[in-house]
C-alpha cells in the first residue's frame, strides 16, 4: 500500500512545513487558520473541513461517552444508541451496516453476520453492535502490538524532528493541540494518496485517512505516557478503546453527512475498509511516519511504553479470538500472521 515514494513524500512535506508548525506551536490560537492555509497550499483546501469536522466529532464523542460511562452506561451501549439514530430514516440501516462490516473486515461468526438478518429487531441489533465493538477492539489491540518495534523503522523514513508534534505527544491526553497535529499528519497522508496507485488507498475518503491517523496517533501517545509513568495501564487501555468507539461513530456520521450514498451497506464498506486489515496496515505506516516526526529518542520511549502493555494486549487478542461471542476474526488472524507473532 505504501512504498519508497510514499516515504519521500512524507519526508518532503514534513521538511517544507516544519517552520509553519513550529510557529503554530508558539501561537496555538492561530492553528486552525494556519492548518487550513497548509491544506490550501498543497491543493487540499476542499478536504480540510471534512478532516476538521471529523476530529472535532471524535473529541465531542469522547467527552459525551465519558459522561455516560460515569452514569453507568457501557461503551457498546453508548455506541448502539448513536448508531440506532440512523434507523429513524432507514429501518435496515443498522443491520445492513453490520452485515457489510462483517464481510469487509473478513469476520466469520458461528451465526452469520453477528447473528443478524435484515429482519432482526432492536434487541438483536444491540447485541450485534456489542459483537462488532469486540471485533474492532481486537483489531485495535493488534495495532497496538504492531507498534512494538516501530522505532526500528523510524531512522529510514522521516529525518526531521518537529517540536510542535513532540510537544503534542508530551501533552496530557486530549490536549487541545492534538487536533491540529493530527490534521497535519492527515495532510501528509493525503499527499501520499495523491500519487499512490493502490486502489484501496485511492478509494479512501479524507475522513477515513483521518480515522487511521487518529488511531495510530492515540496509540503512540498512550505509549509515551505509559513510558513516563503518567498514565496507569488500565486507564491507557480504557482510553484507547473509548477513542475507538468515538472514532467509529464519527466516521459513520461523516460518511452519512458527506457521501452521496447513505445506505447501511455503503457506510459499512467505509467502516470495514478503515477498521479492517487494510486500514491496520496503513496505520502501521502512519505510526512510523509520526515516529520520524518526533525523532528517534522519543520513538524509543514510545516503543518502551508499548512494550509494557503488549503482553496484556496479546493475551486479550488470543482470548478474543477464542471467546468473543462465537466470533472467529479471520481478518485479525491474517494481520497477526503478517506481523509475525
Amino acid at each position: 500500500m505504501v512504498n519508497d515514494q510514499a516515504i519521500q513524500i512524507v519526508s518532503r512535506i514534513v521538511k517544507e512545513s516544519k517552520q509553519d508548525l513550529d510557529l503554530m506551536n508558539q501561537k496555538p490560537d492561530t492553528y486552525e487558520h494556519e492548518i487550513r492555509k497548509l491544506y490550501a497550499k498543497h491543493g487540499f483546501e476542499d478536504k480540510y473541513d471534512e478532516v476538521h469536522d471529523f476530529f472535532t466529532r471524535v473529541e465531542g464523542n469522547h467527552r459525551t461517552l465519558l459522561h455516560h460511562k460515569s452514569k453507568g452506561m457501557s461503551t457498546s451501549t453508548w455506541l448502539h444508541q448513536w448508531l440506532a439514530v440512523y434507523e429513524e430514516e432507514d429501518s435496515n440501516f443498522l443491520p445492513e451496516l453490520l452485515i457489510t462490516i462483517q464481510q469487509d473486515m473478513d469476520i466469520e461468526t458461528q451465526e452469520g453476520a453477528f447473528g443478524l438478518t435484515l429482519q432482526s429487531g432492536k434487541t438483536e441489533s444491540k447485541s450485534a453492535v456489542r459483537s462488532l465493538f469486540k471485533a474492532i477492539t481486537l483489531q485495535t489491540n493488534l495495532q497496538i502490538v504492531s507498534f512494538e518495534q516501530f522505532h526500528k523503522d523510524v531512522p529510514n523514513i522521516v529525518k526531521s524532528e518537529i517540536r510542535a508534534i513532540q510537544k503534542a505527544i508530551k501533552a496530557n491526553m486530549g490536549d487541545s493541540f492534538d487536533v491540529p497535529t493530527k490534521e497535519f499528519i492527515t495532510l501528509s497522508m493525503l499527499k501520499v494518496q495523491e500519487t499512490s496507485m493502490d486502489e484501496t488507498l485511492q478509494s479512501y475518503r479524507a475522513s477515513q485517512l483521518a480515522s487511521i491517523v487518529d488511531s495510530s496517533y492515540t496509540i503512540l501517545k498512550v505509549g509515551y505516557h505509559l513510558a513516563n509513568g503518567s498514565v496507569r495501564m488500565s486507564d491507557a487501555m480504557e482510553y484507547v478503546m473509548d477513542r475507538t468507539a468515538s472514532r467509529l461513530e464519527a466516521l459513520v456520521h461523516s460518511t452519512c453527512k458527506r457521501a452521496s450514498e447513505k445506505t447501511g451497506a455503503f457506510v459499512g464498506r467505509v467502516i470495514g475498509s478503515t477498521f479492517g486489515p487494510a486500514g491496520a496496515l496503513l496505520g502501521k505506516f502512519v505510526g512510523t511516519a509520526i515516529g520520524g516526526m518526533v525523532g528517534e529518542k522519543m520513538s524509543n520511549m514510545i516503543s518502551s511504553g508499548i512494550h509494557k502493555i503488549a503482553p496484556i494486549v496479546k493475551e486479550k487478542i488470543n482470548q478474543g479470538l477464542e471467546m468473543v461471542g462465537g466470533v472467529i476474526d479471520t481478518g485479525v488472524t491474517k494481520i497477526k500472521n503478517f506481523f509475525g507473532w
Side-chain angles (χ1 to χ4, degrees), residues 134-187:
K134 288 178 179 178
I136 287 180
T137 294
L138 286 173
Q139 296 277 6
T140 302
N141 282 336
L142 190 74
Q143 191 170 9
I144 293 173
V145 175
S146 77
F147 287 138
E148 244 186 318
Q149 305 293 333
F150 91 105
H151 63 292
K152 294 183 178 179
D153 297 324
V154 166
N156 302 318
I157 184 164
V158 185
K159 300 177 181 178
S160 183
E161 296 180 19
I162 301 178
R163 289 192 299 274
I165 297 181
Q166 291 174 331
K167 181 180 178 180
I169 294 286
K170 290 178 180 179
N172 293 335
M173 310 302 294
D175 184 80
S176 61
F177 208 68
D178 283 344
V179 168
T181 300
K182 290 182 286 191
E183 288 174 353
F184 170 73
I185 297 165
T186 303
L187 171 61

Side-chain angles (χ1 to χ4, degrees), residues 90-103:
D90 179 359
S91 61
N92 281 331
F93 180 88
L94 193 49
E96 285 183 357
L97 174 83
L98 295 167
I99 290 169
T100 307
I101 290 173
Q102 177 224 348
Q103 295 167 346

Side-chain angles (χ1 to χ4, degrees), residues 2-4 6-8 10-11 14 143-162 165 169 185 188-189 192 212-213 215-221 279-300 302-303 306 338-339:
V2 291
N3 51 27
D4 290 343
I7 292 171
Q8 293 170 8
V10 173
S11 299
V14 166
Q143 191 170 9
I144 293 173
V145 175
S146 77
F147 287 138
E148 244 186 318
Q149 305 293 333
F150 91 105
H151 63 292
K152 294 183 178 179
D153 297 324
V154 166
N156 302 318
I157 184 164
V158 185
K159 300 177 181 178
S160 183
E161 296 180 19
I162 301 178
I165 297 181
I169 294 286
I185 297 165
S188 70
M189 292 304 110
V192 170
I212 293 168
V213 167
S215 177
S216 297
Y217 179 89
T218 297
I219 292 169
L220 298 189
K221 183 160 183 170
L281 294 178
L282 179 58
K284 182 82 160 45
F285 173 78
V286 171
T288 307
I290 295 171
M293 295 175 196
V294 300
E296 289 186 58
K297 183 178 179 180
M298 183 175 281
S299 295
N300 289 336
I302 290 170
S303 187
I306 294 174
F338 179 85
F339 288 126

